[in-house]
Amino acid sequence: MPNTISGFSKLTKSEKIEWLLNTYFTDKDNARTLVQRYWNTDHKLQKLHDEFIENTITNYYLPLGVAPNFLINETTYAIPMAIEESSVVAAASKAAKFWLDRGGFKAEVISTEKIGQVHFIYKGDFNNLEAFFNHIKPKLISDTASITKSMERRGGGILDIELRNKSEDLPHYYQLHATFETLDAMGANFINTCLEQFASTFKNEALQFAGFTNEEKDISIIMSILSNYVPQCLVRAEVSCAIEDLKSKDIPNPEDFAQKFKQAVNIAEIEPYRAVTHNKGIMNGIDAVVLATGNDFRAVEAGVHAYAAKDGSYSSLTHCSIANGIFKFWIEIPLALGTVGGLTNLHPLVKFSLEMLQKPNAKELMKIVAVAGLAQNFGALKSLTTTGIQEGHMKMHLMNILNQFAATDKEKLTLVEHFKTNVVTHNAVVEAIEEIRR
Ligand code: MEV
């Protein structure tokens, strides 16, 4: 096959780059310069990044921005956000400021359980399997003692293991469904190590179990893995104020605003096409903080979207009520986050972000992240139901368009000033650039 290679991972970094340049690039010098320009001159720092993954050739930058003025349960935070989308940090900052003057955000962690499963195939009588499970359950736990020791010392560990019969959905399919408390660690490695030990104990002990027939002893373990669906690791964040207190420069008629805003949330609650975009906006805030704090945004995304569909139809993650003159807006989401382990101790900017957040524990980080999602959704719905999204969006996108046209600093100053009072569209910006260059 053309353009394939074996042993790529064994090549040095330079050899990998040369192979790529020779195989896929026309202007090799330009591509090589680019890749090298993104290397860090601090060799130790570069090596650290090289070793996060396999086959690293360079670094891929995202901006790290900050949204200050987030008042959460009486503490004020500046929230770090790693994201490329131009309007996200600005919208978060604006929402933070808006609610700073109205009592801030309230957030609470509802639960912190995480889930892992051993999936297996068993061909036999369920009563015998149940008897075996009850017999072996204490050993499943005691065999993990060396793995769970330090987690237990800190107050976490295995909470329970259940046998689940799934054979009506898939022939002969059963699970060990385990719940864990992993405290300040996201816990993926801890959970997966425990699960693999459960699987090994379960399979080996089945061979000795007198209550099984010979066929029943042959349990086939399919896989052991944590679940990124964590509906029992829940956090709730909320804002509320008297309707008249919503009045501001952008909200001249707070009663109308509140009603329209609530309608927008209600639409996302019942209409999946809207709910997906609505939740995408929430994830703009959530992912940016999750990424800045070195957490696994894919895990968070997968778990949050599954939660959005938990009642059988994909729905809004936020909700709104208007009662007795009070406007209330809240989010409830599952978030499995860590503030120790993983990248948190390794990536210098993750450490920096966590320090900016006053070194939160996992529960505090859950609250901060949920607030970032709620604030982002507030900002989006406020724009959507008043000016429309493009006004703010294009204002923030202006710099991207100017950079596409290699605008000089002087041109940028002139054009930013010009577009303070003119509608930003791609064409309008291009015309304005052409005009001042003429
Ligand atoms: C864009 O990244 C996010 C929004 O589309 C979210 C929304 O529509 O609610 C503005």
Side-chain angles (χ1 to χ4, degrees):
M1 289 277 276
N3 299 349
T4 60
I5 181 169
S6 61
F8 184 72
S9 68
K10 301 208 171 54
L11 300 181
T12 64
K13 193 199 239 181
S14 301
E15 287 166 345
K16 283 176 191 142
I17 293 167
E18 289 311 311
W19 180 82
L20 284 168
L21 297 178
N22 290 327
T23 313
Y24 292 110
F25 289 80
T26 36
D27 188 344
K28 300 184 200 345
D29 289 339
N30 194 26
R32 187 185 300 102
T33 307
L34 182 71
V35 160
Q36 290 175 354
R37 181 135 47 89
Y38 278 82
W39 284 347
N40 203 295
T41 48
D42 174 343
H43 293 297
K44 224 170 121 206
L45 189 67
Q46 185 53 56
K47 191 157 184 297
L48 179 75
H49 283 74
D50 287 352
E51 289 173 358
F52 284 152
I53 60 167
E54 177 116 316
N55 296 342
T56 310
I57 53 166
T58 187
N59 305 305
Y60 182 97
Y61 292 171
L62 279 182
L64 179 67
V66 176
N69 299 322
F70 269 96
L71 179 62
I72 307 175
N73 298 347
E74 314 308 326
T75 303
T76 316
Y77 294 92
I79 299 189
M81 304 179 91
I83 187 152
E84 86 301 343
E85 191 174 326
S86 38
S87 53
V88 169
V89 178
S93 306
K94 221 172 146 193
K97 193 80 203 329
F98 184 90
W99 286 104
L100 180 68
D101 302 333
R102 292 164 179 79
F105 295 80
K106 301 279 172 283
E108 61 168 332
V109 170
I110 298 168
S111 51
T112 56
E113 272 178 30
K114 289 161 191 168
I115 305 290
Q117 298 168 316
V118 177
H119 305 267
F120 65 94
I121 297 294
Y122 164 79
K123 295 186 180 162
D125 184 338
F126 180 65
N127 291 327
N128 292 348
L129 182 64
E130 215 171 15
F132 169 61
F133 172 72
N134 290 330
H135 162 75
I136 203 66
K137 189 171 168 182
K139 188 163 166 56
L140 289 176
I141 305 226
S142 61
D143 278 5
T144 58
S146 62
I147 309 162
T148 56
K149 202 164 101 197
S150 82
M151 188 64 90
E152 278 177 7
R153 208 181 313 118
R154 286 178 279 134
I158 300 160
L159 301 179
D160 195 16
I161 313 174
E162 289 168 46
L163 173 68
R164 291 201 171 172
N165 184 347
K166 293 284 189 174
S167 62
E168 283 193 2
D169 300 327
L170 186 68
H172 314 301
Y173 168 43
Y174 301 85
Q175 302 167 346
L176 298 179
H177 181 97
T179 42
F180 300 85
E181 170 57 63
T182 62
L183 305 169
D184 289 334
M186 192 271 193
N189 284 332
F190 172 76
I191 293 174
N192 289 335
T193 314
C194 288
L195 293 171
E196 288 186 6
Q197 182 58 54
F198 296 160
S200 152
T201 303
F202 201 69
K203 179 156 181 66
N204 292 337
E205 292 295 321
L207 298 171
Q208 328 282 331
F209 186 59
F212 276 154
T213 64
N214 274 347
E215 203 199 3
E216 286 172 338
K217 284 180 180 169
D218 189 19
I219 285 174
S220 168
I221 304 287
I222 305 299
M223 59 191 161
S224 310
I225 187 74
L226 93 167
S227 172
N228 290 123
Y229 186 43
V230 283
Q232 297 307 330
C233 191
L234 271 190
V235 56
R236 182 192 151 101
E238 172 186 310
V239 284
S240 70
C241 70
I243 292 178
E244 68 260 24
D245 291 347
L246 290 167
K247 196 170 171 121
S248 61
K249 190 163 87 26
D250 308 343
I251 306 175
N253 186 336
E255 179 64 41
D256 272 9
F257 170 80
Q259 293 297 345
K260 239 175 143 183
F261 189 100
K262 182 171 176 301
Q263 278 298 341
V265 175
N266 292 154
I267 290 167
E269 283 169 340
I270 58 105
E271 166 54 57
Y273 278 98
R274 173 56 202 152
V276 171
T277 317
H278 177 98
N279 290 347
K280 185 275 181 191
I282 294 172
M283 300 316 286
N284 278 343
I286 291 183
D287 282 345
V289 189
V290 167
L291 204 53
T293 56
N295 276 279
D296 180 344
F297 66 93
R298 288 83 58 208
V300 167
E301 282 274 348
V304 165
H305 293 299
Y307 191 74
K310 71 180 189 319
D311 297 325
S313 169
Y314 190 89
S315 177
S316 171
L317 294 161
T318 54
H319 307 281
C320 181
S321 71
I322 297 175
N324 307 321
I326 302 291
F327 169 87
K328 192 185 281 186
F329 179 50
W330 71 95
I331 188 168
E332 190 184 278
I333 41 165
L335 284 176
L337 302 176
T339 53
V340 298
L343 270 198
T344 56
N345 308 331
L346 281 177
H347 197 302
L349 285 176
V350 168
K351 284 199 255 181
F352 171 86
S353 296
L354 289 170
E355 186 166 348
M356 191 191 305
L357 291 173
Q358 301 163 53
K359 303 200 174 138
N361 60 27
K363 282 186 182 171
E364 285 156 356
L365 186 60
M366 284 168 79
K367 294 181 214 170
I368 294 165
V369 170
V371 164
L374 185 69
Q376 208 68 48
N377 192 222
F378 179 79
L381 294 185
K382 181 164 166 279
S383 297
L384 285 166
T385 57
T386 55
T387 56
I389 203 75
Q390 282 309 84
E391 187 185 286
H393 209 77
M394 290 309 287
K395 278 230 153 80
M396 294 310 300
H397 192 53
L398 173 62
M399 205 45 80
N400 287 345
I401 307 176
L402 294 177
N403 282 331
Q404 268 170 30
F405 286 87
T408 61
D409 287 348
K410 190 158 169 255
E411 287 171 339
K412 281 180 186 168
L413 269 178
T414 313
L415 290 168
V416 166
E417 201 47 44
H418 171 77
F419 281 106
K420 276 189 182 154
T421 47
N422 289 280
V423 178
V424 182
T425 66
H426 192 86
N427 275 351
V429 179
V430 176
E431 276 169 21
I433 294 176
E434 284 170 357
E435 181 65 34
I436 61 169
R437 284 182 181 171
R438 220 170 271 144

